[in-house]
């Protein structure tokens, strides 16, 4: 036996000739169709993932942005922050809701509030007060939605 040669009969017959390409053996009759089917299926799955990603990550129908805030430091027993925000909707005839929050120096959320945004043409600017459990250092818009709970709609019976 020479170096690099396997003992005869121990591992069975070799399936390929040394130096020959891996795909040089006989193919099953449906191998070409199976490969084509796998490629088409992979392309369809990729397209589905792209469409779902576009729908979920594309521009949202309502966006809120903090314009500025002012800390209320007058009463240490009742800390608060005044937040000015702007809301822009694709369909300005629909009401919206924005959740705003205040955070303390360590980054924890210390106050939160839901703000009703009435239907109006163009961007809407609002001012709201967020009462906090500890002295706040910042305030921001957590998120906005067009799914307004009934208890926030003015004039609805709750």
């Amino acid at each position: 036996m020479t170096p690099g040669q396997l003992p005869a009969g121990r591992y069975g017959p070799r399936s390929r000739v040394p130096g020959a390409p891996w795909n040089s053996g006989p193919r099953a009759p449906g191998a070409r169709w199976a490969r084509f089917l796998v490629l088409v299926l992979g392309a369809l799955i990729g397209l589905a993932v792209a469409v779902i990603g576009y729908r979920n990550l594309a521009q949202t129908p309502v966006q809120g942005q903090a314009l500025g805030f002012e800390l209320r430091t007058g009463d240490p027993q009742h800390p608060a922050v005044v937040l000015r925000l702007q809301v822009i909707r694709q369909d300005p005839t629909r009401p919206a809701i924005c959740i705003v929050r205040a955070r303390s120096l360590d980054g924890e959320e210390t106050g939160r509030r839901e703000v009703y945004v009435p239907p109006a043409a163009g961007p809407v600017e609002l001012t709201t007060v967020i009462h906090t459990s500890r002295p706040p250092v910042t305030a921001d818009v957590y998120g906005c939605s067009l799914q307004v709970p009934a208890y926030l709609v003015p004039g609805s019976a709750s």
Side-chain angles (χ1 to χ4, degrees):
M1 180 173 8
T2 62
Q5 202 175 27
L6 299 175
R10 179 177 276 183
Y11 299 104
R14 294 190 73 163
S15 61
R16 81 177 193 91
V17 178
W22 283 102
N23 61 357
S24 65
R27 290 188 181 181
R32 176 179 267 172
W33 286 105
R35 182 181 292 166
F36 177 74
L37 189 61
V38 167
L39 287 174
V40 168
L41 187 63
L44 289 175
I45 289 173
L47 180 65
V49 168
V51 167
I52 290 170
Y54 178 77
R55 286 186 179 175
N56 289 337
L57 300 175
Q59 184 177 2
T60 58
V62 59
Q63 295 177 346
Q65 176 182 359
L67 297 176
F69 64 91
E70 180 183 333
L71 302 176
R72 283 201 177 165
T73 57
D75 186 2
Q77 298 297 322
H78 303 286
V81 61
V82 178
L83 175 69
R84 285 186 332 110
L85 66 140
Q86 180 182 49
V87 180
I88 300 172
R89 292 168 285 199
Q90 288 180 352
D91 182 3
T93 63
R94 294 183 62 186
I97 177 178
C98 288
I99 298 174
V100 296
R101 64 182 179 171
R103 294 198 272 173
S104 62
L105 187 59
D106 61 2
E108 278 194 45
E109 183 178 293
T110 56
R112 177 181 282 233
R113 181 174 183 149
E114 296 172 321
V115 178
Y116 176 76
V117 183
V124 177
E125 288 189 16
L126 301 167
T127 302
T128 187
V129 177
I130 307 167
H131 297 281
T132 62
S133 59
R134 294 196 320 242
V137 295
T138 188
D140 60 2
V141 178
Y142 183 74
C144 296
S145 173
L146 294 176
Q147 298 174 353
V148 180
Y151 63 85
L152 276 180
V153 178
S156 67
S158 15

